Amino acid sequence: MSELRLTLAVVQVLRAFLDDVGQPRYGYDLMRQTGFPSGKLYPILSRLHRAGWLVRENEGVDPAAEGRPARVVYRLSPDGAAAARGELAALAEQLRPPEPVRPIRRLRPQGRSA
Amino acid sequence: MSGAAILLGVLAGVVGVVIGDLASSEIRGRLDRIPYRLIQFAARRLDETSRADATAEWTAELRAVLRQHAADTVPLARLLIGTRFALGVVRAARTIDRDLRSVVKPPAGPTGTGLATTLAEVARTASSLRSAAPPLVTDLVDAELARMSALVTQLHAGCATYSGEDQDWLLALARNTRTSLDATSITTTDHTGLRYDGSFWASDLAQRYLLTQRQIIASGVPVRRLFILDRPELAHDTALARLCRHQTQLGIQIRLLAPAEVPPDRLGQLTDFIIFDHALAYETLGPAHPTRCTDRDHAISTRLYLDPTQIADRARLFHDLWQAATPPTTRQHRPEPGA
């Protein structure tokens, strides 16, 4: 599996897959889940697939019986799932807001000198 | 108004409604095809290897999109939804193609960064494939990579051997020949033992091999083929004569060498070989004791020689045999025996 430049859009797609790792996804379902148009989603799927993060396969249906062509489904590869979790955790850590600033507790009461 | 006029008016109205309905169906049908045409246009932006898969995927997805909106949307809205999806795909195809081009760079030459980039890309893609593909596919990739590695190692040592006949070697060498191609071809007879067996030249490999030779001849590379006859009567065989005419028409220089014309000191050295650019010799070896006449068409091993001594030996052999041979036109005016 190769490295991948993680943009915010890529992270959003990975997040959609991590909701249910074993669940294969259609492109159109991912479009609706992420709100991305096809022009934005498919290049991301292509990059993730080429990098080995996603597995791409035909759904197992008989087109003649279903009356429609078989669709392509995507799912996270085992390595892709582990990497996605790791990357999202790292990103969440980076984006975690800092602790609120607490007032410095004075060691000595005001108005007194050593 | 007369009854006839009313009837005519009604008929005209009915015809008008029918024509209008037909026109409407025609227009609707054409409009429905627009998104599919856009998807085909999008797929043409991709390289040939991924075009069919992309078309199938996006077409099936478009069908799903339209199906979901079929019940609750008017046709015009469905057109807009489909077109929006398809236009996005056109944009996606451009981006995907750009991504691929930025990753896969053509090799710059036999050495240098281009080759290194290609090898790095092969390693990266193979590693990526390993995580996603079934074991059968990864085994195939491993075997092919091992084969490529063995070929390079053996060529570096001066000689590479392959069990059987490697079509890829033959075609790749012919396609990349730059200065000359000299080949010997030992003839075989058919099951009667009397007539020439030209089955190899009717095979798919031979057709592609000849097509490649025609292309390099067009670019100025001389191609010579020496048919070494295993029986003297084949010099007048009609099938062989037809084959010679065909290859001559392609621009190949042909000569025939009858058994009696083989120089005595070369009698034990007759094999099928090809010398490419006087830089590499390709030699096929058949069974030592063929059980059938056509067995010699099936090579049991193929060797590539890069060693200059080996190449020079074969170049001298080819020269001697070529000098002893004669063009087919000088001998094929005789009728075929028994014809």
Side-chain angles (χ1 to χ4, degrees):
Chain A
M1 204 176 73
S2 64
E3 287 186 8
L4 187 76
R5 194 167 67 90
L6 286 180
T7 63
L8 187 59
V10 173
V11 169
Q12 283 177 265
V13 172
L14 289 174
R15 182 72 188 78
F17 277 102
L18 284 176
D19 280 345
D20 185 351
V21 174
Q23 177 71 31
R25 313 290 175 127
Y26 297 115
Y28 185 49
D29 291 349
L30 288 165
M31 284 170 59
R32 289 193 300 184
Q33 194 171 348
T34 58
F36 291 169
S38 53
K40 184 173 180 176
L41 178 74
Y42 279 106
I44 293 172
L45 293 178
S46 171
R47 280 176 214 146
L48 286 167
H49 174 242
R50 273 187 288 115
W53 293 51
L54 289 184
V55 178
R56 179 184 185 276
E57 53 198 15
N58 277 322
E59 62 173 346
V61 300
D62 178 9
E66 294 287 325
R68 64 174 177 80
R71 296 168 71 184
V72 168
V73 290
Y74 295 88
R75 59 182 169 78
L76 279 171
S77 67
D79 289 347
R85 283 199 191 93
E87 292 292 345
L88 259 65
L91 189 66
E93 181 62 27
Q94 285 176 21
L95 297 178
R96 189 167 58 82
E99 294 290 324
V101 178
R102 283 183 291 190
I104 299 170
R105 190 156 54 92
R106 295 182 183 279
L107 294 176
R108 298 186 182 88
Q110 281 184 337
R112 294 184 61 174
S113 58
Chain B
M1 185 181 288
S2 69
I6 292 171
L7 186 61
L8 275 176
V10 170
L11 277 175
V14 169
V15 169
V17 168
V18 169
I19 291 174
D21 199 36
L22 284 174
S24 168
S25 297
E26 174 70 16
I27 291 169
R28 202 160 46 237
R30 284 179 184 275
L31 288 178
D32 278 350
R33 285 198 289 272
I34 288 175
Y36 294 98
R37 297 267 189 242
L38 284 171
I39 283 176
Q40 287 169 356
F41 171 73
R44 282 201 294 272
R45 295 183 159 200
L46 302 174
D47 71 291
E48 285 183 21
T49 55
S50 45
R51 209 169 279 170
D53 283 348
T55 305
E57 176 181 1
W58 292 332
T59 302
E61 221 50 30
L62 173 63
R63 287 277 295 269
V65 172
L66 294 178
R67 186 184 287 249
Q68 293 216 357
H69 293 86
D72 56 358
T73 313
V74 295
L76 189 60
R78 287 182 55 227
L79 170 68
L80 291 176
I81 290 166
T83 304
R84 184 165 175 244
F85 175 85
L87 283 175
V89 162
V90 172
R91 218 168 38 249
R94 192 172 49 205
T95 310
I96 291 169
D97 188 51
R98 197 177 54 227
D99 283 354
L100 288 172
R101 286 176 193 281
S102 69
V103 171
V104 182
K105 295 181 174 62
T111 58
T113 55
L115 181 60
T117 304
T118 303
L119 290 175
E121 175 59 20
V122 168
R124 192 191 68 76
T125 311
S127 170
S128 164
L129 185 67
R130 183 179 296 280
S131 68
L136 183 67
V137 176
T138 55
D139 288 348
L140 172 67
V141 171
D142 288 348
E144 284 299 306
L145 290 176
R147 198 167 73 100
M148 184 179 73
S149 172
L151 170 65
V152 173
T153 305
Q154 289 180 31
L155 285 177
H156 190 256
C159 176
T161 304
Y162 179 85
S163 294
E165 182 158 20
D166 191 296
Q167 303 188 3
D168 291 337
W169 285 359
L170 181 65
L171 294 175
L173 287 167
R175 192 163 47 243
N176 292 295
T177 302
R178 290 168 172 78
T179 58
S180 65
L181 189 158
D182 293 334
T184 64
S185 179
I186 300 180
T187 62
T188 53
T189 49
D190 66 6
H191 66 282
T192 67
L194 298 172
R195 299 173 65 87
Y196 173 65
D197 178 80
S199 56
F200 167 75
W201 293 105
S203 68
D204 176 59
L205 169 62
Q207 294 302 308
R208 287 190 288 158
Y209 182 42
L210 286 176
L211 179 66
T212 305
Q213 288 177 38
R214 188 169 70 179
Q215 289 164 349
I216 61 173
I217 288 168
S219 63
V221 177
V223 176
R224 297 189 291 180
R225 174 155 299 108
L226 174 67
F227 284 105
I228 301 173
L229 311 182
D230 62 339
R231 289 167 182 265
E233 56 268 28
L234 287 183
H236 311 291
D237 186 277
T238 51
L240 182 59
R242 196 163 49 245
L243 180 67
C244 290
R245 271 199 304 277
H246 175 235
Q247 297 202 8
T248 304
Q249 285 165 1
L250 297 178
I252 299 170
Q253 302 169 50
I254 301 285
R255 286 195 184 179
L256 304 181
L257 183 67
E261 295 167 342
V262 178
D265 59 325
R266 296 298 195 181
L267 273 173
Q269 304 172 29
L270 303 179
T271 56
D272 281 315
F273 64 87
I274 311 165
I275 305 171
F276 296 96
D277 287 348
H278 286 280
L280 184 145
Y282 174 106
E283 188 172 75
T284 56
L285 300 173
H289 304 289
T291 53
R292 291 180 295 129
C293 298
T294 53
D295 276 355
R296 268 196 302 190
D297 278 347
H298 305 288
I300 56 168
S301 71
T302 306
R303 282 194 184 147
L304 298 183
Y305 295 101
L306 270 160
D307 177 50
T309 310
Q310 295 274 6
I311 295 163
D313 284 349
R314 280 161 185 76
R316 275 193 296 274
L317 173 62
F318 185 87
H319 174 265
D320 291 350
L321 299 177
W322 186 260
Q323 291 301 317
T326 49
T329 49
T330 61
R331 56 171 92 214
Q332 285 175 353
H333 62 279
R334 286 177 50 182
E336 184 186 2

